[in-house]
Amino acid sequence: MAGDWREEAQALWDRAGKQKSSESKVKLLEEAVRMADSHGDVDLGYQLRDDLIDAATFGGYPDKALVAFAWCRGQQKKDPERFEPEGLLWKQKWVVGRIKEFPHISRKQITDALDDIEQCFTKVDAGKRSALKLRYQTARDMGDDAAEVDRLWAAWLAAPRDHLTDCRACELDDELDHHVEQGEWEQALRKAKPILEGRVRCAEIPHLTLGTLLYPLFKLGELERAAEMHRRGYGLTSKNRDFLATMGDHIEFLALTGNLARGLALLEKHLEWTLDHGSFNDRFVFLVAATFLLERVKAAGDRDVVSLRLTKAFPEHRADGGYEVKALHAWMLKQARDIATRFDTRNGTDRYARRLARIQRLAEEVREFPLD
Amino acid sequence: MPRPPSHRNLEKNPPGGSFSARAVPWANVGTAVDHRFQVSLRGVIDLLSHHLYSSPGVYLRELLQNATDAIRARQHLEPEHKGTVRLELVEKQDGGPPTLVFSDDGVGLTEEEIHRFLATIGESSKREALEDRRKDFIGQFGIGLLSCFMVCDELLLVTRSARGDGRTLEWRGRHDGTYAVQVSEHPLERPGTQVFLVARADMVEWFAPERLRQLGRHYGGLLPFPIQLTIGAEQERLDLDGAPWRRDYESAGERRKAMLEYGREVFETDFIDCIPLRSQAGDVDGVAFVLPASPHFNSKQKHRVYLKHMLLSESAENLLPEWAFFVKCVVNANALRPTASRESFYEDGALAQAREALGHGLRKYLVDLAHEDPRALQRLIGLHGLSIKALALDDDDFYRLVIGWLPFETSLGVTTLAEYRRAYPVVRFAATLDGFRQVARVAGAQGLCIINAAYTHDAALLEKLPHVVEGAQVEPFSAADLPQSFEELSMDERDAVFPLSRMAEQVLAPFHCGVVVKKFFPAEVPTLYSADEEGSFRRDAERARDESDDLYASVLEGVMAAAGGEPAQLCFNLHNPVVRRLAAVTDRTLMKLSVEMLYVQALLLGQHPLNAQEMTLLNQGLLGLISAQLGTGGSGGGENDGGVGSGGLH
């Protein structure tokens, strides 16, 4: 057994190599990493984690990506000859980009991580644009002063592209978030054109975009187009927990258009991801949408109990599958509120409270558009 | 038939002709009064060859596309018109570059249309513009013709329109952007178009007979009219006389044989079966071939797709549902939209519906197998289990049909779920490999059979069982569940091990590890360490923290503080002789050391890598044990070192 651990680790690695980013790929690589660590094989541990960072990032485990990155980074700092720094810089963007989504990481630590990535990039004389985008997104998502957020937005777009800049598709998609945030629906749709026409794309685009644009289209009254994007977008994202927040976009759209049964089907299927997802931001987005959906079910008033096959991991799980709408709604709202409080306390702002309050506005915008 | 142009001809007669033509760039064309931008033809050709086309061989595809469009347009006027495309290769006796004469009997071009396609070319200096132009007949015609400049420096186009005045027109163009238009001195007898291409010296290979044959078959094999290739006295047809899957065959067996033969030709693979495909949405039909081995990557298969019978792509990916990666297919679509790169279809409603319909066809094939030839389905599951599992996950009826036949790895070997359920009333599975490893050895001795559901789809499939199959019982199982099935201690035993369990609790508290003492088999196992997923993740984070720099170590502290989950647990086995003797030891230091070493050993056996703190424990513990042994005179650890049946507690 001890003799062939390498073969076993290699077999796990091969198996992982045949899979797309997913829970099972992450588990296989983690297992192989543990074997390498058990036998003190630092090189193998590094290479495996290099893959694990990718699989975890694109498979919906940002916390695992962070842990794997931190280990690699330690090795790389100890022995820069053996582990060349450039390779890790690209991935550092992913990690730093999500660090704000863990409410237990302090503002100081987030600022330090941003300063640090800027220094790392400066050392190789590149990555200015990437660093600015991270600063912009972090400031925006933490609810920082609007003038500062605007300044960073402008600085990001003005900075030159280079080899550390994200692909065209990702950058464009990130730009859309800004316009949606500002309520600039038409501008968002105009800019999204190359993505929607399939001219620019990547591993996560148009998957994310199709969710992002649901609300703008809804606001513009283009419901037929929105419905089409819901169908396309959901199909692309429903198998990967990396798209938890996008599930929130879809549930919100279904609730807004009165497709409550469809909305509940999504809630039933994806609640599991919310229970242990590393990104509390993505949990929050999902929970807010779920709260809004259940509010609509309550408002419809024709049933007090809904039948759902919820995961056993759900703390209020019921074997008979009958859930009281009121209780379920209260649970979602409480979770969302708790997360909002944690974020707002950490950030020293009220952005999450405001995002939660948005539900009330949504309730006034509901417009029936049956998909069935 | 006009004679093909020679280099000399064109050089001697500089552009200029009977009407409208001047020796000017494309831009200031003909009779048009409005001014146009000047455009460098070189630049456009360069753009085409470097960005739009993957290989110079594409020129033949473009010519075929033009001919197809022209024949369709003529059929619009004359529904009975059949259409024929002819390729004639004229090789020079003096070894000079060969000429290809490419003719169709399509609708032909009028003078006005010639000017329009020239104008189109002038405007097409951007890739997007090029793509837009392709959407109309004339635009496509001009762009298609341009691609010929990838392989030749001069072109002669002779055309007679079915809609015109009966004149035959000639257009001569050169790669430098000069051209001439005139009424031909060699009128065509019937409407149609001929293109004469004189191979450029460095592109002669694209005119080799074998290459022409291969390109013609490749791009135009499915076209619904004859494509004749003439080389010297030899004539042959390059088209397949319609799609093979639409032909009538004497019997189902004949059809199958012919299809598999066709599949071998297209993909160079010996497939094990073929499945007809048909979708009203997108007007799609074709055939899917079942791969003889499970694909290397669970990624999407690359299919060969034709758009209106012209080859569109050999690497279309998005045509079938995600689960259907056990087949490769050849299809023709008449009403799907290609993407700009022309590599696959645009993701729209029509494609989604077509995908669903094609998926239904594949599913029906599997369902029919289940009813008519279960053995064949089982073989298929053996080869393509992953594909079948993916479908079962999404489709309750299909799930019910196949779930019993799906193979799972268990602590007692591989078995189908039906066999498993016959032997065990409750389906127990470990959702991670780590978890499975922790329990596999011990579970067997408890008479438990645990499924290793760490692999793709397995856990989700098993969790689905009680929802779909009435009365089925399914339980996730982890090492932490094992002690529940272990034998409890008697009151006396509890008293006897009390000092040991108290000591162990103290020692292991800093390691987030609790302690229980029970009795279980096999007796050789002294302890069983169990941690849930969060626990394993916490251990990973601890090691990363130990290795990382200050910034990320502090970040990880935050991550660990938030990690939930149950604490890990170390279960001592009182059936184990060493544990029995340890419980009776009175030397507190020795007991502490022993507990620490058992803990580290349990971690190592379970393949849990040690963090820095545990590594220190191991190093100090080894030294401590050695020195303890030396201190007692090195007599070698008791009479028989804890063999079976020995020990101080009976």
Side-chain angles (χ1 to χ4, degrees):
Chain A
M1 175 97 183
D4 51 40
W5 73 268
R6 269 174 204 287
E7 274 172 38
E8 218 180 321
Q10 186 66 45
L12 290 170
W13 200 1
D14 291 346
R15 199 161 185 152
K18 289 177 188 169
Q19 299 190 7
K20 290 181 283 191
S21 295
S22 62
E23 182 178 357
S24 87
K25 179 169 190 160
V26 167
K27 282 181 180 169
L28 289 167
L29 287 169
E30 280 187 313
E31 186 64 19
V33 161
R34 285 170 196 151
M35 280 187 187
D37 285 8
S38 293
H39 295 87
D41 190 331
V42 176
D43 280 316
L44 185 61
Y46 194 94
Q47 292 170 38
L48 285 165
R49 281 181 173 92
D50 198 49
D51 277 6
L52 176 56
I53 297 170
D54 292 53
T57 299
F58 297 105
Y61 292 91
D63 44 350
K64 296 190 175 189
L66 169 62
V67 166
F69 170 81
W71 188 93
C72 287
R73 153 130 171 158
Q75 302 301 342
Q76 195 268 310
K77 280 217 154 174
K78 274 180 242 171
D79 195 346
E81 303 269 306
R82 190 163 160 204
F83 305 109
E84 56 97 27
E86 281 262 354
L88 215 51
L89 287 181
W90 185 265
K91 304 188 177 183
Q92 189 169 354
K93 283 189 307 187
W94 303 338
V95 169
V96 176
R98 306 207 65 170
I99 216 162
K100 59 182 186 287
E101 297 175 21
F102 309 110
H104 32 275
I105 291 178
S106 70
R107 194 177 250 281
K108 162 97 171 49
Q109 286 168 330
I110 295 169
T111 312
D112 288 351
L114 282 167
D115 291 344
D116 171 79
I117 193 170
E118 203 167 74
Q119 284 157 20
C120 291
F121 282 4
T122 308
K123 267 189 213 154
V124 296
D125 199 18
K128 194 159 177 248
R129 186 179 171 93
S130 279
L132 279 165
K133 182 165 89 174
L134 290 172
R135 282 196 186 278
Y136 157 69
Q137 290 174 325
T138 306
R140 179 191 69 199
D141 293 350
M142 290 177 73
D144 289 355
D145 180 52
E148 174 66 359
V149 175
D150 287 347
R151 185 188 71 76
L152 288 168
W153 157 256
W156 161 38
L157 291 189
R161 293 182 61 86
D162 60 29
H163 71 280
L164 286 173
T165 306
D166 287 337
C167 79
R168 295 282 320 156
C170 286
E171 284 240 312
L172 197 51
D173 184 74
D174 288 330
E175 281 185 47
L176 298 185
D177 289 341
H178 169 87
H179 296 296
V180 174
E181 170 93 11
Q182 302 287 322
E184 298 164 0
W185 319 126
E186 273 129 348
Q187 178 71 340
L189 280 164
R190 262 197 299 276
K191 280 205 182 178
K193 227 177 149 224
I195 295 178
L196 297 178
E197 287 173 359
R199 279 186 278 129
V200 302
R201 57 194 286 193
C202 69
E204 296 193 307
I205 310 296
H207 312 42
L208 291 168
T209 320
L210 294 170
T212 309
L213 293 179
L214 289 174
Y215 188 64
L217 284 171
F218 175 83
K219 289 295 281 182
L220 293 172
E222 294 199 45
L223 297 176
E224 200 61 66
R225 258 183 98 192
E228 165 112 23
M229 284 194 198
H230 159 66
R231 291 200 185 93
R232 260 177 77 194
Y234 181 68
L236 288 173
T237 49
S238 65
K239 296 281 165 62
N240 185 343
R241 57 188 271 142
D242 189 28
F243 297 113
L244 175 60
T246 298
M247 293 306 118
D249 295 338
H250 286 278
I251 290 176
E252 178 189 284
F253 170 72
L254 292 171
L256 275 169
T257 49
N259 291 286
L260 302 182
R262 276 178 182 254
L264 285 172
L266 262 67
L267 170 67
E268 175 181 60
K269 197 156 174 203
H270 303 292
L271 177 67
E272 191 173 3
W273 296 347
T274 298
L275 301 177
D276 62 353
H277 204 281
S279 165
F280 280 72
N281 176 70
D282 294 359
R283 290 192 195 193
F284 176 79
V285 173
F286 184 94
L287 288 163
V288 170
T291 306
F292 176 53
L293 173 74
L294 290 164
E295 219 160 273
R296 298 314 306 156
V297 177
K298 268 201 316 188
D302 51 354
R303 58 183 72 238
D304 297 333
V305 173
V306 285
S307 301
L308 295 170
R309 292 185 204 169
L310 296 182
T311 165
K312 275 192 186 165
F314 179 50
E316 321 264 294
H317 175 262
R318 294 182 56 96
D320 65 1
Y323 293 89
E324 210 188 315
V325 177
K326 245 167 91 182
L328 207 52
H329 171 265
W331 190 88
M332 302 288 164
L333 180 60
K334 178 173 187 312
Q335 301 299 312
R337 204 173 263 150
D338 286 353
I339 294 177
T341 309
R342 290 175 71 180
F343 272 126
D344 285 346
T345 309
R346 192 264 321 261
N347 297 341
T349 62
D350 64 349
R351 179 179 163 87
Y352 279 83
R354 279 187 283 125
R355 285 172 71 182
L356 188 55
R358 179 168 167 269
I359 294 181
Q360 270 116 59
R361 215 172 58 232
L362 288 183
E364 291 158 19
E365 296 177 355
V366 170
R367 190 176 150 192
E368 298 283 326
F369 187 76
L371 293 180
D372 295 295
Chain B
M1 185 198 276
R3 278 157 24 87
S6 69
H7 287 279
R8 206 167 298 137
N9 270 349
L10 275 180
E11 274 155 25
K12 271 193 180 159
N13 302 323
S18 56
F19 62 78
S20 80
R22 299 185 296 262
V24 291
W26 304 107
N28 287 332
V29 155
T31 52
V33 267
D34 51 341
H35 296 278
R36 298 191 193 282
F37 291 108
Q38 296 244 338
V39 116
S40 147
L41 183 59
R42 264 269 147 254
V44 176
I45 294 170
D46 194 57
L47 182 84
L48 286 173
S49 45
H50 288 103
H51 298 286
L52 206 57
Y53 297 133
S54 48
S55 125
V58 169
Y59 84 93
L60 204 66
R61 178 186 83 189
E62 295 294 317
L63 286 172
L64 282 166
Q65 183 68 59
N66 285 355
T68 305
D69 292 346
I71 288 173
R72 285 215 179 94
R74 180 139 178 220
Q75 285 167 342
H76 219 70
L77 301 174
E78 305 162 39
E80 296 304 308
H81 184 69
K82 172 97 174 72
T84 307
V85 172
R86 287 174 211 284
L87 287 75
E88 188 181 350
L89 183 65
V90 183
E91 290 171 295
K92 288 275 170 63
Q93 265 114 35
D94 62 1
T99 298
L100 174 68
V101 187
F102 187 102
S103 335
D104 67 62
D105 55 2
V107 74
L109 293 175
T110 63
E111 182 183 344
E112 186 266 336
E113 285 168 335
I114 291 183
H115 288 292
R116 228 166 59 215
F117 93 69
L118 291 172
T120 313
I121 292 171
E123 287 165 2
S124 312
S125 57
K126 281 210 311 251
R127 184 178 170 157
E128 283 80 13
L130 282 173
E131 285 303 333
D132 268 355
R133 300 284 178 274
R134 274 185 182 284
K135 287 173 191 156
D136 77 296
F137 169 53
I138 296 298
Q140 159 63 37
F141 185 86
I143 292 157
L145 212 55
L146 264 193
S147 71
C148 295
F149 285 115
M150 289 194 291
V151 292
C152 60
D153 281 345
E154 49 191 66
L155 280 180
L156 170 63
L157 175 94
V158 181
T159 185
R160 177 178 156 184
S161 172
R163 286 178 289 218
D165 50 17
R167 286 190 304 169
T168 297
L169 302 169
E170 265 182 42
W171 171 80
R172 286 165 191 270
R174 284 180 58 82
H175 68 96
D176 60 9
T178 56
Y179 74 97
V181 184
Q182 62 182 31
V183 175
S184 176
E185 290 163 17
H186 309 275
L188 296 177
E189 282 170 26
R190 292 180 200 85
T193 299
Q194 294 185 329
V195 185
F196 294 78
L197 301 92
V198 181
R200 206 163 72 212
D202 59 336
M203 287 290 169
V204 172
E205 65 201 81
W206 296 100
F207 291 73
E210 190 40 48
R211 184 62 66 92
L212 283 179
R213 198 172 286 133
Q214 178 237 329
L215 289 173
R217 278 207 188 113
H218 185 63
Y219 292 121
L222 287 195
L223 286 174
F225 39 74
I227 301 169
Q228 303 275 8
L229 173 66
T230 308
I231 301 172
E234 305 279 317
Q235 263 210 15
E236 61 184 299
R237 267 180 77 170
L238 298 182
D239 63 295
L240 295 172
D241 196 14
W245 59 83
R246 282 184 215 142
R247 275 179 224 149
D248 290 324
Y249 294 90
E250 302 235 324
S251 64
E254 283 294 306
R255 162 174 289 273
R256 184 169 183 277
K257 217 175 107 194
M259 285 304 113
L260 291 180
E261 182 56 40
Y262 175 59
R264 181 160 37 238
E265 234 169 71
V266 174
F267 295 115
E268 292 172 355
T269 305
D270 287 309
F271 294 103
I272 55 176
D273 209 354
C274 54
I275 307 165
L277 294 175
R278 176 99 199 94
S279 161
Q280 272 196 320
D283 192 3
V284 183
D285 70 344
V287 56
F289 300 102
V290 179
L291 291 160
S294 77
H296 271 285
F297 285 84
N298 130 22
S299 58
K300 293 171 180 170
Q301 290 301 329
K302 299 196 160 168
H303 308 296
R304 174 176 294 202
V305 300
Y306 293 81
L307 183 63
K308 295 182 187 160
H309 302 101
M310 270 291 291
L311 182 74
L312 176 72
S313 164
E314 295 175 272
S315 54
E317 289 185 343
N318 53 354
L319 195 66
L320 295 181
E322 226 177 301
W323 55 267
F325 49 85
F326 69 110
V327 293
K328 260 173 119 80
C329 60
V330 183
V331 300
N332 176 65
N334 290 325
L336 291 179
R337 212 175 116 201
T339 58
S341 62
R342 296 181 87 80
E343 268 155 19
S344 51
F345 293 112
Y346 187 73
E347 276 289 347
D348 59 9
L351 178 60
Q353 283 170 20
R355 191 187 292 129
E356 205 179 310
L358 299 181
H360 268 297
L362 296 174
R363 180 186 184 279
K364 179 173 181 305
Y365 166 80
L366 296 171
V367 170
D368 288 350
L369 272 191
H371 293 306
E372 289 153 23
D373 193 354
R375 279 177 182 283
L377 181 62
Q378 271 162 317
R379 276 196 301 275
L380 198 70
I381 288 172
L383 271 178
H384 298 298
L386 217 49
S387 222
I388 305 217
K389 283 178 176 180
L391 173 59
L393 204 54
D394 270 357
D395 182 329
D396 288 5
D397 292 329
F398 187 72
Y399 180 98
R400 236 173 255 122
L401 193 64
V402 299
I403 188 67
W405 290 337
L406 296 179
F408 290 89
E409 183 186 317
T410 75
S411 49
L412 302 174
V414 175
T415 165
T416 64
L417 194 65
E419 285 166 17
Y420 182 100
R421 291 190 61 215
R422 270 196 290 277
Y424 306 94
V426 180
V427 178
R428 293 196 171 88
F429 69 94
T432 68
L433 200 56
D434 196 24
F436 180 71
R437 201 171 297 219
Q438 289 177 41
V439 300
R441 191 170 162 213
V442 177
Q446 313 300 310
L448 292 170
C449 182
I450 309 294
I451 293 177
N452 175 7
Y455 301 128
T456 314
H457 306 317
D458 283 1
L461 278 171
L462 293 174
E463 278 165 6
K464 187 174 171 144
L465 191 67
H467 297 300
V468 180
V469 178
E470 197 136 338
Q473 281 181 287
V474 177
E475 277 175 13
F477 198 83
S478 74
D481 296 317
L482 266 177
Q484 291 170 21
S485 65
F486 295 163
E487 194 185 339
E488 292 291 344
L489 306 188
S490 68
M491 289 304 270
D492 285 350
E493 285 167 333
R494 286 183 66 88
D495 290 343
V497 300
F498 187 70
L500 172 63
S501 34
R502 249 208 16 206
M503 169 66 78
E505 260 159 26
Q506 275 170 20
V507 170
L508 299 182
F511 298 93
H512 302 279
C513 183
V515 174
V516 284
V517 185
K518 297 228 176 173
K519 292 189 285 191
F520 60 89
F521 294 101
E524 308 88 75
V525 177
T527 56
L528 180 72
Y529 176 84
S530 60
D532 62 7
E533 248 181 282
E534 280 95 346
S536 299
F537 175 60
R538 163 186 283 280
R539 298 186 56 83
D540 291 343
E542 283 166 358
R543 290 196 317 288
R545 177 202 57 198
D546 295 345
E547 294 291 333
S548 203
D549 60 345
D550 290 350
L551 170 61
Y552 279 90
S554 84
V555 166
L556 290 187
E557 287 289 351
V559 172
M560 284 184 289
E566 299 287 314
Q569 195 180 64
L570 190 68
C571 179
F572 288 82
N573 180 10
L574 205 58
H575 280 327
N576 180 270
V578 175
V579 173
R580 295 174 88 90
R581 290 180 57 195
L582 180 59
V585 159
T586 48
D587 179 343
R588 303 276 295 164
T589 319
L590 185 60
M591 185 186 264
K592 176 168 180 288
L593 259 178
S594 305
V595 167
E596 287 168 351
M597 297 309 286
L598 281 171
Y599 171 66
V600 173
Q601 187 216 19
L603 290 175
L604 291 175
L605 278 180
Q607 305 214 21
H608 301 281
L610 307 184
N611 63 31
Q613 212 184 347
E614 290 154 356
M615 201 59 106
T616 311
L617 214 60
L618 174 65
N619 292 332
Q620 288 177 353
L622 274 177
L623 286 176
L625 280 178
I626 292 169
S627 88
Q629 286 294 328
L630 293 174
T632 57
S635 64
E639 303 80 55
N640 57 9
D641 208 17
V644 178
S646 74
L649 195 129
H650 280 282

